[in-house]
Amino acid sequence: MALSATARSAVLVGVAGLTLAVINQATAPALEPPLERASVLAGILAVLLMLSGLLGERVLPAESARVALVGREGLELAEALPEPLRQELAWGSAMLLKATPAAVVVVQRGDQMLLRRGLLADTSFVPGVICAQALERQRSISLVDLALYPGRDEFHTLLADLPAVVVQPIGRDGLLLVGGWSPRCFGRGDLLWIEGWASRLAVALASIPGVSGTGP
């Protein structure tokens, strides 16, 4: 994977510092102990700087890795929802779009769409086999790179060319779908955000007449 400009700069600075420390030791063997300690410290700091640049590159994907997704920015809520649920859906979806690499957030209850937010397709999403598996197992399914999965066509109507999707059950009949901007973009912290909000939604949906059991 190519390094970003920030990571390359960190590596170059680190290599330069380490090189200077080695040259300093080679050309001045009679340095006093305090200067020797400073030289060793400079070498250690140079290595740490290089590592921080490389780790930062892995934790924060390069901007160029984002897929150029096509959709219209928007927020859609189902009609006749109780006001507390509308507020919960609006708040939670906004937080996911802000705090995670989400491009689109969808909340489904059966075949009914309760919320769509972010980049929206012109077609309605219909849950398929993978969504059914997540509900049956009562466990989230993280498709880190949709190009690798034969069943990826199930999510084409969620948003065309999505590179990654998380399918999170909301009780027995609800689904939270989060589509990401790039392959492998969702980290452990993002998945915890998604799972935590799904738990809040399960409680909120339990108060709506006609919703079947929302417990695990």
Side-chain angles (χ1 to χ4, degrees):
M1 180 176 62
L3 297 179
S4 67
T6 302
R8 286 196 299 270
S9 299
V11 171
L12 289 175
V13 172
V15 170
L18 187 58
T19 302
L20 287 175
V22 171
I23 293 174
N24 188 34
Q25 289 285 359
T27 57
L31 288 175
E32 297 179 2
L35 292 179
E36 290 179 359
R37 288 195 295 270
S39 179
V40 172
L41 180 60
I44 294 173
L45 291 176
V47 172
L48 290 176
L49 186 57
M50 285 189 289
L51 289 175
S52 67
L54 293 173
L55 289 174
E57 181 67 21
R58 289 182 177 274
V59 173
L60 300 173
E63 188 71 19
S64 59
R66 279 184 151 203
V67 174
L69 299 173
V70 177
R72 53 186 174 83
E73 288 276 357
L75 166 62
E76 295 180 357
L77 285 166
E79 297 180 359
L81 293 178
E83 187 58 29
L85 179 57
R86 294 176 65 88
Q87 292 179 5
E88 178 65 37
L89 289 169
W91 172 85
S93 59
M95 291 303 296
L96 283 185
L97 290 170
K98 182 177 180 180
T100 74
V104 57
V105 176
V106 170
V107 176
Q108 292 267 148
R109 184 186 63 180
D111 293 331
Q112 181 187 14
M113 186 276 297
L114 300 183
L115 167 123
R116 288 201 307 169
R117 189 167 194 171
L119 284 180
L120 308 184
D122 292 329
T123 52
S124 298
F125 175 71
V126 178
V129 175
I130 296 176
C131 290
Q133 289 177 350
L135 284 172
E136 180 182 356
R137 300 173 184 174
Q138 284 296 288
R139 294 179 58 184
S140 66
I141 297 178
S142 181
L143 306 176
V144 297
D145 189 346
L146 273 181
L148 304 177
Y149 294 91
R152 58 184 175 273
D153 289 346
E154 177 177 345
F155 303 98
H156 185 74
T157 54
L158 183 62
L159 188 64
D161 301 322
L162 268 177
V165 171
V166 177
V167 183
Q168 173 68 50
I170 305 174
R172 295 292 179 184
D173 56 3
L175 286 168
L176 168 59
L177 298 110
V178 184
W181 282 103
S182 59
R184 298 177 177 83
C185 60
F186 294 111
R188 178 59 183 162
D190 303 320
L191 297 179
L192 288 174
W193 260 101
I194 294 169
E195 182 180 359
W197 189 44
S199 297
R200 286 175 58 101
L201 285 177
V203 175
L205 290 175
S207 63
I208 300 179
V211 175
S212 59
T214 54

Short mmCIF file of all heavy atoms in Angstrom, two decimals, residues 75-95 107 112-117 197 200-201 204-205 207-208:
data_model
loop_
_atom_site.label_atom_id
_atom_site.label_comp_id
_atom_site.label_asym_id
_atom_site.label_seq_id
_atom_site.Cartn_x
_atom_site.Cartn_y
_atom_site.Cartn_z
N LEU A 75 -31.87 12.79 3.76
CA LEU A 75 -32.40 12.14 4.96
C LEU A 75 -33.86 11.81 4.69
O LEU A 75 -34.65 12.70 4.36
CB LEU A 75 -32.29 13.06 6.18
CG LEU A 75 -33.08 12.65 7.44
CD1 LEU A 75 -32.62 11.32 7.97
CD2 LEU A 75 -32.99 13.74 8.50
N GLU A 76 -34.21 10.55 4.82
CA GLU A 76 -35.59 10.11 4.63
C GLU A 76 -36.04 9.33 5.86
O GLU A 76 -35.34 8.42 6.31
CB GLU A 76 -35.71 9.22 3.38
CG GLU A 76 -35.40 9.94 2.08
CD GLU A 76 -35.53 9.03 0.87
OE1 GLU A 76 -35.80 7.82 1.07
OE2 GLU A 76 -35.34 9.51 -0.26
N LEU A 77 -37.20 9.69 6.40
CA LEU A 77 -37.80 9.01 7.54
C LEU A 77 -39.18 8.52 7.15
O LEU A 77 -39.91 9.20 6.43
CB LEU A 77 -37.89 9.94 8.74
CG LEU A 77 -36.60 10.25 9.49
CD1 LEU A 77 -36.81 11.45 10.41
CD2 LEU A 77 -36.13 9.05 10.29
N ALA A 78 -39.54 7.34 7.65
CA ALA A 78 -40.88 6.82 7.40
C ALA A 78 -41.91 7.73 8.06
O ALA A 78 -41.64 8.36 9.08
CB ALA A 78 -41.00 5.40 7.94
N GLU A 79 -43.07 7.79 7.47
CA GLU A 79 -44.14 8.62 8.01
C GLU A 79 -44.77 7.98 9.24
O GLU A 79 -44.68 6.77 9.45
CB GLU A 79 -45.21 8.85 6.94
CG GLU A 79 -44.71 9.60 5.71
CD GLU A 79 -45.79 9.81 4.68
OE1 GLU A 79 -46.93 9.35 4.95
OE2 GLU A 79 -45.52 10.43 3.64
N ALA A 80 -45.41 8.82 10.04
CA ALA A 80 -46.21 8.37 11.20
C ALA A 80 -45.37 7.68 12.26
O ALA A 80 -45.89 6.84 13.00
CB ALA A 80 -47.35 7.46 10.74
N LEU A 81 -44.10 7.98 12.35
CA LEU A 81 -43.27 7.44 13.44
C LEU A 81 -43.43 8.32 14.67
O LEU A 81 -43.58 9.54 14.56
CB LEU A 81 -41.80 7.41 13.04
CG LEU A 81 -41.38 6.45 11.93
CD1 LEU A 81 -39.89 6.61 11.64
CD2 LEU A 81 -41.69 5.01 12.32
N PRO A 82 -43.42 7.72 15.86
CA PRO A 82 -43.49 8.54 17.09
C PRO A 82 -42.32 9.52 17.13
O PRO A 82 -41.21 9.20 16.68
CB PRO A 82 -43.39 7.51 18.20
CG PRO A 82 -43.80 6.21 17.58
CD PRO A 82 -43.37 6.29 16.15
N GLU A 83 -42.55 10.69 17.68
CA GLU A 83 -41.53 11.72 17.70
C GLU A 83 -40.24 11.28 18.41
O GLU A 83 -39.15 11.57 17.93
CB GLU A 83 -42.08 12.99 18.33
CG GLU A 83 -41.13 14.18 18.25
CD GLU A 83 -40.75 14.54 16.82
OE1 GLU A 83 -41.57 14.29 15.91
OE2 GLU A 83 -39.64 15.07 16.63
N PRO A 84 -40.33 10.56 19.55
CA PRO A 84 -39.08 10.11 20.19
C PRO A 84 -38.25 9.21 19.28
O PRO A 84 -37.02 9.29 19.27
CB PRO A 84 -39.57 9.36 21.43
CG PRO A 84 -40.90 9.96 21.74
CD PRO A 84 -41.50 10.29 20.40
N LEU A 85 -38.93 8.35 18.50
CA LEU A 85 -38.20 7.47 17.59
C LEU A 85 -37.59 8.27 16.44
O LEU A 85 -36.46 8.00 16.01
CB LEU A 85 -39.13 6.39 17.05
CG LEU A 85 -38.49 5.39 16.05
CD1 LEU A 85 -37.29 4.70 16.67
CD2 LEU A 85 -39.52 4.38 15.57
N ARG A 86 -38.31 9.24 15.93
CA ARG A 86 -37.77 10.10 14.87
C ARG A 86 -36.50 10.81 15.34
O ARG A 86 -35.50 10.88 14.61
CB ARG A 86 -38.81 11.13 14.42
CG ARG A 86 -40.02 10.54 13.73
CD ARG A 86 -41.05 11.62 13.40
NE ARG A 86 -40.51 12.56 12.41
CZ ARG A 86 -40.60 12.39 11.09
NH1 ARG A 86 -41.20 11.31 10.60
NH2 ARG A 86 -40.12 13.28 10.26
N GLN A 87 -36.54 11.31 16.57
CA GLN A 87 -35.37 11.98 17.11
C GLN A 87 -34.20 11.02 17.29
O GLN A 87 -33.05 11.36 17.01
CB GLN A 87 -35.73 12.65 18.44
CG GLN A 87 -36.71 13.81 18.31
CD GLN A 87 -37.05 14.43 19.65
OE1 GLN A 87 -36.50 14.06 20.68
NE2 GLN A 87 -37.99 15.38 19.63
N GLU A 88 -34.51 9.81 17.75
CA GLU A 88 -33.45 8.80 17.93
C GLU A 88 -32.83 8.43 16.59
O GLU A 88 -31.60 8.33 16.47
CB GLU A 88 -34.03 7.56 18.60
CG GLU A 88 -33.02 6.43 18.80
CD GLU A 88 -31.91 6.79 19.77
OE1 GLU A 88 -32.19 7.48 20.77
OE2 GLU A 88 -30.76 6.38 19.53
N LEU A 89 -33.64 8.23 15.59
CA LEU A 89 -33.14 7.88 14.26
C LEU A 89 -32.29 9.01 13.68
O LEU A 89 -31.23 8.77 13.09
CB LEU A 89 -34.30 7.55 13.33
CG LEU A 89 -35.04 6.23 13.59
CD1 LEU A 89 -36.32 6.16 12.78
CD2 LEU A 89 -34.15 5.03 13.28
N ALA A 90 -32.76 10.24 13.82
CA ALA A 90 -32.02 11.38 13.29
C ALA A 90 -30.70 11.56 14.01
O ALA A 90 -29.66 11.78 13.38
CB ALA A 90 -32.87 12.65 13.41
N TRP A 91 -30.72 11.45 15.35
CA TRP A 91 -29.48 11.62 16.13
C TRP A 91 -28.48 10.52 15.83
O TRP A 91 -27.31 10.79 15.54
CB TRP A 91 -29.82 11.63 17.62
CG TRP A 91 -28.59 11.61 18.48
CD1 TRP A 91 -27.85 12.68 18.88
CD2 TRP A 91 -27.95 10.46 19.04
NE1 TRP A 91 -26.78 12.27 19.65
CE2 TRP A 91 -26.82 10.92 19.76
CE3 TRP A 91 -28.22 9.08 19.00
CZ2 TRP A 91 -25.97 10.03 20.43
CZ3 TRP A 91 -27.38 8.21 19.67
CH2 TRP A 91 -26.26 8.69 20.38
N GLY A 92 -28.93 9.27 15.91
CA GLY A 92 -28.00 8.16 15.74
C GLY A 92 -27.38 8.10 14.36
O GLY A 92 -26.18 7.84 14.21
N SER A 93 -28.18 8.34 13.33
CA SER A 93 -27.64 8.30 11.97
C SER A 93 -26.63 9.42 11.74
O SER A 93 -25.60 9.23 11.08
CB SER A 93 -28.77 8.37 10.94
OG SER A 93 -29.53 9.56 11.11
N ALA A 94 -26.92 10.59 12.30
CA ALA A 94 -25.98 11.70 12.17
C ALA A 94 -24.64 11.37 12.85
O ALA A 94 -23.57 11.67 12.32
CB ALA A 94 -26.57 12.98 12.77
N MET A 95 -24.70 10.73 14.01
CA MET A 95 -23.49 10.38 14.74
C MET A 95 -22.68 9.33 13.98
O MET A 95 -21.45 9.41 13.92
CB MET A 95 -23.84 9.87 16.13
CG MET A 95 -24.39 10.94 17.06
SD MET A 95 -23.25 12.34 17.26
CE MET A 95 -21.84 11.54 18.04
N VAL A 107 -32.04 1.98 8.17
CA VAL A 107 -32.69 1.19 9.21
C VAL A 107 -33.96 0.58 8.62
O VAL A 107 -34.82 1.30 8.09
CB VAL A 107 -33.05 2.04 10.45
CG1 VAL A 107 -33.81 1.20 11.48
CG2 VAL A 107 -31.79 2.62 11.07
N GLN A 112 -40.05 -2.71 5.55
CA GLN A 112 -40.32 -1.28 5.70
C GLN A 112 -39.04 -0.51 6.01
O GLN A 112 -38.30 -0.85 6.94
CB GLN A 112 -41.33 -1.04 6.81
CG GLN A 112 -41.68 0.43 7.00
CD GLN A 112 -42.54 0.68 8.22
OE1 GLN A 112 -42.67 -0.19 9.08
NE2 GLN A 112 -43.14 1.86 8.29
N MET A 113 -38.80 0.52 5.24
CA MET A 113 -37.66 1.38 5.49
C MET A 113 -38.07 2.44 6.51
O MET A 113 -39.02 3.18 6.30
CB MET A 113 -37.19 2.06 4.19
CG MET A 113 -35.91 2.88 4.31
SD MET A 113 -36.18 4.57 4.92
CE MET A 113 -37.19 5.26 3.63
N LEU A 114 -37.35 2.48 7.63
CA LEU A 114 -37.62 3.49 8.64
C LEU A 114 -36.77 4.73 8.46
O LEU A 114 -37.20 5.84 8.74
CB LEU A 114 -37.40 2.92 10.05
CG LEU A 114 -38.23 1.71 10.45
CD1 LEU A 114 -37.94 1.32 11.89
CD2 LEU A 114 -39.73 1.98 10.25
N LEU A 115 -35.53 4.51 7.98
CA LEU A 115 -34.61 5.64 7.81
C LEU A 115 -33.61 5.35 6.71
O LEU A 115 -33.12 4.22 6.57
CB LEU A 115 -33.86 5.92 9.11
CG LEU A 115 -32.65 6.87 8.96
CD1 LEU A 115 -32.78 8.08 9.86
CD2 LEU A 115 -31.34 6.16 9.24
N ARG A 116 -33.32 6.37 5.93
CA ARG A 116 -32.16 6.37 5.01
C ARG A 116 -31.47 7.71 5.16
O ARG A 116 -32.12 8.76 5.16
CB ARG A 116 -32.58 6.19 3.54
CG ARG A 116 -33.07 4.84 3.18
CD ARG A 116 -32.98 4.57 1.69
NE ARG A 116 -33.63 5.59 0.86
CZ ARG A 116 -33.49 5.66 -0.46
NH1 ARG A 116 -32.71 4.82 -1.11
NH2 ARG A 116 -34.13 6.60 -1.14
N ARG A 117 -30.14 7.67 5.30
CA ARG A 117 -29.42 8.94 5.46
C ARG A 117 -28.02 8.80 4.88
O ARG A 117 -27.40 7.75 4.95
CB ARG A 117 -29.34 9.33 6.93
CG ARG A 117 -28.80 10.74 7.13
CD ARG A 117 -29.02 11.21 8.55
NE ARG A 117 -28.81 12.64 8.66
CZ ARG A 117 -29.09 13.35 9.74
NH1 ARG A 117 -29.60 12.77 10.81
NH2 ARG A 117 -28.89 14.65 9.76
N TRP A 197 -25.67 1.45 18.96
CA TRP A 197 -26.87 2.16 18.52
C TRP A 197 -27.99 1.19 18.20
O TRP A 197 -29.17 1.46 18.45
CB TRP A 197 -26.57 3.05 17.33
CG TRP A 197 -27.73 3.95 17.01
CD1 TRP A 197 -28.48 4.67 17.88
CD2 TRP A 197 -28.27 4.23 15.71
NE1 TRP A 197 -29.47 5.38 17.22
CE2 TRP A 197 -29.35 5.13 15.89
CE3 TRP A 197 -27.95 3.81 14.43
CZ2 TRP A 197 -30.11 5.61 14.83
CZ3 TRP A 197 -28.70 4.30 13.36
CH2 TRP A 197 -29.76 5.19 13.56
N ARG A 200 -29.86 0.48 21.32
CA ARG A 200 -30.77 1.58 21.64
C ARG A 200 -32.03 1.52 20.77
O ARG A 200 -33.15 1.72 21.24
CB ARG A 200 -30.08 2.93 21.45
CG ARG A 200 -29.06 3.27 22.52
CD ARG A 200 -28.34 4.57 22.17
NE ARG A 200 -29.25 5.68 22.00
CZ ARG A 200 -29.49 6.62 22.92
NH1 ARG A 200 -28.87 6.55 24.10
NH2 ARG A 200 -30.33 7.61 22.69
N LEU A 201 -31.85 1.23 19.49
CA LEU A 201 -32.99 1.17 18.58
C LEU A 201 -33.92 0.02 18.92
O LEU A 201 -35.15 0.13 18.76
CB LEU A 201 -32.50 1.03 17.14
CG LEU A 201 -31.94 2.28 16.48
CD1 LEU A 201 -31.42 1.96 15.08
CD2 LEU A 201 -32.99 3.39 16.41
N ALA A 204 -36.18 1.29 21.49
CA ALA A 204 -37.11 2.28 20.94
C ALA A 204 -38.19 1.61 20.08
O ALA A 204 -39.37 1.99 20.15
CB ALA A 204 -36.34 3.31 20.12
N LEU A 205 -37.80 0.62 19.28
CA LEU A 205 -38.77 -0.05 18.40
C LEU A 205 -39.75 -0.91 19.17
O LEU A 205 -40.85 -1.18 18.70
CB LEU A 205 -38.03 -0.91 17.37
CG LEU A 205 -37.26 -0.15 16.29
CD1 LEU A 205 -36.47 -1.11 15.41
CD2 LEU A 205 -38.22 0.67 15.42
N SER A 207 -41.47 -0.14 21.56
CA SER A 207 -42.63 0.65 21.98
C SER A 207 -43.61 0.89 20.85
O SER A 207 -44.68 1.46 21.06
CB SER A 207 -42.17 1.99 22.54
OG SER A 207 -41.51 2.75 21.52
N ILE A 208 -43.25 0.46 19.62
CA ILE A 208 -44.13 0.70 18.47
C ILE A 208 -45.09 -0.49 18.31
O ILE A 208 -44.64 -1.63 18.23
CB ILE A 208 -43.31 0.88 17.18
CG1 ILE A 208 -42.39 2.09 17.34
CG2 ILE A 208 -44.22 1.07 15.98
CD1 ILE A 208 -41.53 2.32 16.12
#
